[in-house]
Amino acid sequence: MDNDLERSVRLLEDALSTSGRGLFKKSLLKSRTDYDNRLDFSSTVANHELLKHLRRQQHPSFDETGSKLSHILQGDQTVIGNVLQANVAPWTTAVDSLYTEFFEVLQTHSGGQDILEVVTDLARCCSDALKVIQSLKCKVAVSHLDEEICLEKERNTWRLLFILYQDRLLAQNMMDDQGVMQYFGRSEKMCVQNLFKRDGLVRESQLIIDWLESNAADRDDEVLHFSDSTVGWENTLHQLQSAETIAFLSSRRIVSSLDPDAPNRERMPLHDLDSEDDKRLARKVFAEVRCGKLEEAQKLCRQTGHSWKAALFEGWRLFHDPNVKENSDNDAGSEADDGYEEMDSNELKEIEGNSSRDIWKIMAIKYCKQDYLNLYDRASIGAFCGYLNTLLPVCNSWEDSLWAYMRTLVDVRVESEIRDCVTRNGEYLPLPEEYWTQRMSLNEVFHNLESSKDALVREEAKRPDHVIQKHIIMDEIATLLLKFEEWIEDENLPTSFLRFLAHLVLFFDQIGQGHNREVMEKVLENYINRLMAMNETQMVAYYVSKLSPNNQVHLYAKYLENIIDEEERKTSLLYAEDSGLNVLAITKQVVENVRNIPHETEESGNLQHKITEVDNYKISSLDWVLFYENQRAEALVQVNGLIFTFLTLGKVDAAHLAFNKIPQDMVEKIIKEGEVSETLRQSIKEFFSYKAYLDANEAFNEWFKHCKCQPTPPAALPDNAQFPEKVAHQHRQSQHKAELERWKLTANHLAKNAKTKLYNVLLFPEGWLVGAVDDDYLRSACLPGIVLLIYSVLSESGQHAECVQLADIIASEKHCLYKVYSKEKLAEILEKLCESSVALLNAKKDPWGNETAA
């Protein structure tokens, strides 16, 4: 409970801020003996109270946390003031905090606790947030909050799930046990207990009644302003006893006697004030009955001097004589004696219930038909005698109407069981036929709600929360999932409601009712997309882990695409590991997704290919496959693919940046790891092919830049130059000569280096990039360019004979370079070679550079 209180206080603290693998493991269920003991009562209880202790035992803290929190909020006005000053609508923060709260609940219970504990905690989270909202709302001029209503509906649905599936899981655990035999005897109480053990529909119907009454009790805040203890109809009594001293005489002639039947018998009204009090009292008594508080209703009747009204509620109680016990040998076919045997103890115990309950019920139904009685008085009695016609007129909501139908359904079934199985000295008096015509199924109940004469009830029956509750009650989860599929198509679906649906489908999946996996995945994907927009990385990773493996990779990779910061990337992968995701497949998918992003279109005629933001983004994405050492081979594949793309686009600088992402010793480490597969060998070859090409381009660029930086000779002196100027000029000439020598040496060195690296591409072992995907295209695009670069270096260096030898290399069958040439490119290189041959001829050599005889 302390943890619950801490959670509630944290919700309040959050409101001060304006910013905004198998989950469950089914635990061992209780034994059948425990289940039977839960229905073993020591005193007679009402049908509507028969199973209520079940809820109290299992989750007694639904309201305790809220009461503690309310005490804190009421006592600390400074906190309230700070909340309201910090946020115009602080209750929205309380609702938003449920995303984290629900996630923490799932994390806490991921170790295999009972599935129902999770549902209980989810309901408690909603209850805590609801208490915060209600405490904040009362401090401002707001009477209606959609957030409060939606949160209350969600909390109620979680409670419904708990009570129903606790019973269903227990019943499922008992399926292999011997069934409960039908009871035959004289105890109405034991008969009904046996019915609840044996009939799951009746048991669940009673649980639904308890749930509806508990929800109503949570909302009930009406105060009835009466004194602690009065006499009945005190104003009428005072006027009859001393009319001359009464302050306010009635505006009409009143009754002359004060027995309960006097107004009807005399056809005269009570005192005006008493009539008004009677109406208010009737409404409050019915409200207490609606909340399942029969004792409170009776206490209120006695306090207001209407003990006879309290006595009316006693006649429905089931008869049971604890002084005798059932004969264990007695069964349906036994006629021996009366089915009883004497108790061992001589001490007599008080007999429970009403032995003439059938007479009370007949008279109660007649009472409900009296039109002169207050509508709420009749409805209060009708709730205990199972007379639906008096309940529906005072039920103005879907919940109230469902409560009325369910009470009638259970009452008729219980009455039928008692009359079939209980024997007594005299026969039960027959009930009116209209009572038995109220027998209905759950389908008929909800059909009646959807076609109700009350427009509000019909409209509320269509609300998503009530549709969910309906299908949960009817155990139609497959149909409910189809409804989820319809709802999530709405782009304006509130995120809080989507959170609710996502956790519902997780629950259904874990109890084995998630047969429509496609719909479940859709709901979770929609919720995850909302969490992505909120940048909740840890929650995204966790909920993604609930998807199928393929969707896990696709969705989490989609999210990681937008993370740029390196620390955030590492953190996101840690969350993925903690959630059991396939991080290697995800990182691979991230890089492939980014690589497939279309490139920016450059202006036509732009010969210089600049590195764009998209290019930098793609290069940065390579870091994803460099975080894990066992992904080195994949990193090599991804880098090769990106370099291929850049070279295809002519972006050599971008290819350099991508290549530099790979650590220098990575290939060596890959080879040392063990046997290298053919695929990996090809990747390594491609990598070295790109390395040779990029090194060659870099070497050529250095040589080319150096060639453009040849020292400029000093300007010539004029004829009339003075001696000092001539001395200075000679000094400048000496400096220029020295610089020119150094430049030539560097140029020769750079030319030699460039030539070597360019030849490394041209004469690459087994052919440059041979075996790669689409290698023909890139070889045709790059190798003719490499030949031209070699020609430029050789030509500028005066090595024309070697230039001509390029023709032999191109034509060689060993390298088959001629296959990568188009006619246009071949004509271009032949023209260059002709120029070198001409230069050789001018140098008194033959066209191939050989010395000729004089």
Side-chain angles (χ1 to χ4, degrees):
M1 181 51 60
D2 292 337
N3 292 336
D4 299 333
L5 183 58
E6 291 174 4
R7 181 194 297 121
S8 302
V9 174
R10 186 168 72 252
L11 286 172
L12 183 59
E13 292 173 348
D14 291 341
L16 288 167
S17 173
T18 57
S19 63
R21 273 165 281 250
L23 168 59
F24 305 113
K25 202 170 184 178
K26 186 175 176 181
S27 66
L28 293 176
L29 294 173
K30 297 179 177 60
S31 65
R32 177 171 178 171
T33 302
D34 295 336
Y35 182 77
D36 291 344
N37 290 340
R38 285 167 39 175
L39 296 176
D40 184 17
F41 298 90
S42 60
S43 61
T44 302
V45 294
N47 294 342
H48 72 285
E49 296 175 336
L50 194 58
L51 298 179
K52 189 175 294 183
H53 77 295
L54 176 65
R55 178 182 60 83
R56 294 171 181 167
Q57 290 177 350
Q58 295 299 327
H59 48 109
S61 56
F62 271 148
D63 302 317
E64 295 175 10
T65 303
S67 62
K68 288 187 178 182
L69 179 62
S70 296
H71 177 73
I72 293 175
L73 293 172
Q74 294 294 335
D76 195 342
Q77 299 300 322
T78 303
V79 174
I80 295 294
N82 291 337
V83 170
L84 297 178
Q85 290 178 6
N87 198 337
V88 177
W91 40 83
T92 58
T93 306
V95 175
D96 292 343
S97 66
L98 287 177
Y99 304 116
T100 303
E101 291 289 316
F102 274 39
F103 166 68
E104 289 176 352
V105 168
L106 303 190
Q107 287 282 75
T108 302
H109 291 279
S110 61
Q113 287 86 348
D114 193 336
I115 181 176
L116 297 177
E117 292 181 15
V118 179
V119 177
T120 302
D121 279 350
L122 295 181
R124 187 179 294 116
C125 288
C126 294
S127 183
D128 293 345
L130 194 59
K131 291 295 182 181
V132 172
I133 292 175
Q134 291 169 347
S135 298
L136 295 174
K137 187 186 73 170
C138 68
K139 304 300 178 182
V140 295
V142 177
S143 59
H144 175 85
L145 286 176
D146 291 336
E147 293 88 348
E148 179 184 8
I149 296 173
C150 294
L151 198 55
E152 181 182 350
K153 299 294 184 185
E154 180 180 348
R155 178 202 62 187
N156 294 343
T157 304
W158 287 121
R159 291 180 175 182
L160 176 65
L161 275 173
F162 174 82
I163 61 173
L164 287 184
Y165 278 95
Q166 178 181 244
D167 183 80
R168 289 170 183 174
L169 293 175
L170 285 169
Q172 182 180 359
N173 192 50
M174 294 167 52
M175 287 180 62
D176 296 334
D177 296 345
Q178 185 178 359
V180 179
M181 298 295 293
Q182 190 171 7
Y183 170 88
F184 292 96
R186 292 195 174 186
S187 173
E188 294 178 344
K189 172 186 171 182
M190 294 179 67
C191 176
V192 173
Q193 286 183 355
N194 178 274
L195 173 65
F196 275 93
K197 293 177 184 179
R198 184 167 43 84
D199 193 324
L201 174 60
V202 176
R203 189 170 60 251
E204 286 193 8
S205 298
Q206 186 60 56
L207 288 172
I208 294 166
I209 294 172
D210 295 342
W211 168 70
L212 290 166
E213 290 174 348
S214 175
N215 295 340
D218 288 340
R219 293 193 305 268
D220 183 39
D221 57 358
E222 180 184 356
V223 178
L224 198 61
H225 298 288
F226 287 118
S227 59
D228 292 339
S229 182
T230 65
V231 296
W233 299 337
E234 57 182 352
N235 294 289
T236 302
L237 176 63
H238 188 37
Q239 182 166 331
L240 290 178
Q241 289 180 339
S242 50
E244 66 280 358
T245 62
I246 192 170
F248 300 99
L249 286 172
S250 178
S251 60
R252 301 168 294 175
R253 184 181 175 186
I254 62 174
V255 296
S256 59
S257 55
L258 289 181
D259 59 275
D261 292 328
N264 178 54
R265 186 181 68 254
E266 298 180 7
R267 304 293 180 182
M268 301 293 286
L270 299 171
H271 188 281
D272 293 342
L273 294 178
D274 287 338
S275 295
E276 185 63 28
D277 287 346
D278 242 18
K279 292 177 183 178
R280 292 169 57 216
L281 176 62
R283 291 180 66 96
K284 183 58 179 176
V285 168
F286 176 76
E288 297 288 3
V289 171
R290 172 66 181 85
C291 295
K293 300 177 181 179
L294 175 59
E295 292 79 7
E296 294 296 325
Q298 290 178 304
K299 180 181 178 182
L300 182 59
C301 290
R302 289 193 295 269
Q303 285 180 346
T304 54
H306 294 278
S307 297
W308 63 274
K309 286 189 175 182
L312 288 179
F313 291 108
E314 288 297 310
W316 59 267
R317 296 191 182 276
L318 302 173
F319 176 75
H320 176 66
D321 187 354
N323 298 301
V324 292
K325 66 179 181 180
E326 297 287 352
N327 186 347
S328 59
D329 297 330
N330 185 39
D331 55 26
S334 176
E335 300 292 343
D337 300 327
D338 55 4
Y340 284 75
E341 62 180 16
E342 294 184 359
M343 302 287 288
D344 295 333
S345 175
N346 293 325
E347 181 182 354
L348 291 178
K349 299 179 181 178
E350 184 179 354
I351 295 177
E352 303 173 9
N354 181 8
S355 60
S356 300
R357 193 183 56 82
D358 54 335
I359 299 177
W360 175 89
K361 195 157 196 170
I362 292 173
M363 300 311 297
I365 292 176
K366 289 183 178 180
Y367 179 88
C368 293
K369 295 179 181 179
Q370 304 304 312
D371 294 336
Y372 67 87
L373 293 173
N374 184 282
L375 195 62
Y376 288 94
D377 279 334
R378 293 155 55 194
S380 298
I381 298 299
F384 293 95
C385 68
Y387 195 62
L388 183 62
N389 290 340
T390 60
L391 287 173
L392 290 180
V394 297
C395 295
N396 301 318
S397 69
W398 184 86
E399 291 91 345
D400 291 343
S401 298
L402 176 61
W403 172 80
Y405 278 109
M406 297 306 290
R407 284 200 68 102
T408 304
L409 183 151
V410 172
D411 194 275
V412 172
R413 182 66 185 90
V414 167
E415 188 66 32
S416 176
E417 182 75 7
I418 290 174
R419 289 172 180 263
D420 289 342
C421 302
V422 176
T423 58
R424 63 178 193 174
N425 294 333
E427 294 291 332
Y428 282 104
L429 295 179
L431 292 174
E433 185 62 28
E434 59 185 314
Y435 174 83
W436 298 111
T437 58
Q438 297 177 130
R439 189 187 301 269
M440 68 189 80
S441 65
L442 280 179
N443 277 323
E444 291 173 322
V445 168
F446 286 105
H447 174 74
N448 292 338
L449 290 173
E450 292 164 2
S451 58
S452 172
K453 295 180 181 178
D454 191 323
L456 179 60
V457 174
R458 291 197 308 273
E459 192 64 28
E460 287 187 348
K462 301 176 184 178
R463 288 175 52 116
D465 46 7
H466 291 152
V467 172
I468 292 172
Q469 292 165 1
K470 165 193 168 182
H471 289 296
I472 290 174
I473 291 171
M474 298 183 68
D475 201 16
E476 296 177 343
I477 306 306
T479 305
L480 179 58
L481 291 177
L482 294 179
K483 288 288 184 182
F484 287 3
E485 188 175 21
E486 293 180 16
W487 294 336
I488 61 176
E489 295 297 327
D490 183 7
E491 295 181 356
N492 298 320
L493 190 70
T495 305
S496 58
F497 185 65
L498 192 55
R499 166 187 50 76
F500 176 41
L501 297 185
H503 289 84
L504 274 179
V505 298
L506 286 175
F507 172 80
F508 293 141
D509 184 43
Q510 297 305 316
I511 62 173
Q513 294 195 7
H515 305 301
N516 195 336
R517 187 69 194 180
E518 181 180 355
V519 174
M520 296 180 61
E521 298 258 335
K522 286 183 180 179
V523 174
L524 287 174
E525 284 182 26
N526 276 268
Y527 181 54
I528 292 168
N529 286 331
R530 300 289 180 93
L531 292 176
M532 289 179 179
M534 297 160 60
N535 293 321
E536 295 288 352
T537 305
Q538 187 175 11
M539 285 191 276
V540 170
Y542 182 80
Y543 288 103
V544 163
S545 69
K546 307 306 171 188
L547 301 174
S548 61
N550 289 338
N551 280 348
Q552 289 177 11
V553 173
H554 167 75
L555 206 57
Y556 202 61
K558 175 185 175 184
Y559 175 65
L560 296 186
E561 290 178 26
N562 300 317
I563 299 180
I564 303 300
D565 182 75
E566 183 177 2
E567 290 303 317
E568 289 184 16
R569 286 178 170 179
K570 292 180 180 178
T571 303
S572 65
L573 292 178
L574 289 176
Y575 289 147
E577 291 176 5
D578 293 341
S579 301
L581 300 179
N582 187 346
V583 290
L584 300 184
I586 289 171
T587 51
K588 173 184 175 182
Q589 188 65 47
V590 173
V591 179
E592 291 181 350
N593 290 349
V594 175
R595 280 177 48 199
N596 291 330
I597 295 176
H599 288 267
E600 297 175 359
T601 304
E602 298 184 0
E603 296 181 3
S604 59
N606 188 359
L607 299 179
Q608 194 171 13
H609 300 289
K610 295 182 179 179
I611 300 177
T612 64
E613 292 184 4
V614 174
D615 296 335
N616 285 323
Y617 178 43
K618 292 185 176 185
I619 295 168
S620 173
S621 70
L622 294 173
D623 290 335
W624 288 110
V625 289
L626 295 172
F627 286 122
Y628 299 98
E629 292 186 358
N630 55 346
Q631 211 172 9
R632 293 191 186 107
E634 183 59 37
L636 211 59
V637 172
Q638 297 299 336
V639 169
N640 288 342
L642 190 56
I643 293 175
F644 180 92
T645 302
F646 284 143
L647 292 182
T648 301
L649 298 172
K651 296 186 174 183
V652 179
D653 290 341
H656 266 290
L657 294 177
F659 179 85
N660 291 336
K661 282 287 184 180
I662 299 296
Q664 294 181 356
D665 60 344
M666 194 174 79
V667 175
E668 182 181 352
K669 289 181 178 180
I670 292 175
I671 296 174
K672 288 182 179 180
E673 288 178 355
E675 185 178 352
V676 178
S677 65
E678 183 62 28
T679 303
L680 182 55
R681 192 187 72 83
Q682 178 61 36
S683 297
I684 294 174
K685 178 184 176 182
E686 291 178 28
F687 179 75
F688 282 123
S689 294
Y690 291 128
K691 182 179 186 303
Y693 182 82
L694 296 174
D695 288 346
N697 272 275
E698 184 177 12
F700 176 82
N701 289 335
E702 291 180 3
W703 169 80
F704 185 76
K705 290 178 182 177
H706 183 75
C707 289
K708 298 300 180 182
C709 299
Q710 182 177 351
T712 304
L717 283 176
D719 295 337
N720 57 350
Q722 300 295 323
F723 177 76
E725 293 176 353
K726 291 180 180 180
V727 173
H729 180 69
Q730 289 178 353
H731 180 69
R732 286 195 293 270
Q733 284 182 326
S734 299
Q735 283 185 330
H736 169 68
K737 185 176 180 180
E739 289 177 2
L740 186 60
E741 288 299 323
R742 287 194 297 271
W743 177 84
K744 287 181 179 180
L745 289 173
T746 303
N748 290 333
H749 173 73
L750 293 176
K752 183 178 180 180
N753 181 57
K755 183 178 69 171
T756 300
K757 292 187 175 181
L758 287 168
Y759 271 120
N760 286 343
V761 177
L762 208 59
L763 306 177
F764 195 87
E766 299 180 10
W768 182 80
L769 211 62
V770 171
V773 178
D774 295 329
D775 59 342
D776 290 342
Y777 175 79
L778 201 55
R779 281 170 57 84
S780 299
C782 296
L783 291 181
I786 291 293
V787 173
L788 289 176
L789 295 181
I790 295 176
Y791 177 84
S792 298
V793 174
L794 296 175
S795 178
E796 290 293 330
S797 302
Q799 303 176 44
H800 294 290
E802 193 171 347
C803 288
V804 176
Q805 292 175 4
L806 288 174
D808 296 332
I809 297 175
I810 295 173
S812 171
E813 290 293 338
K814 179 180 179 181
H815 304 292
C816 298
L817 295 178
Y818 61 88
K819 294 181 179 180
V820 304
Y821 275 87
S822 63
K823 292 182 178 180
E824 293 78 8
K825 291 184 178 180
L826 191 58
E828 182 180 5
I829 189 61
L830 289 176
E831 183 178 352
K832 297 288 185 182
L833 296 179
C834 289
E835 293 176 0
S836 294
S837 295
V838 171
L840 290 171
L841 290 174
N842 292 334
K844 307 301 181 180
K845 296 181 180 180
D846 65 10
W848 295 277
N850 299 319
E851 295 291 341
T852 59

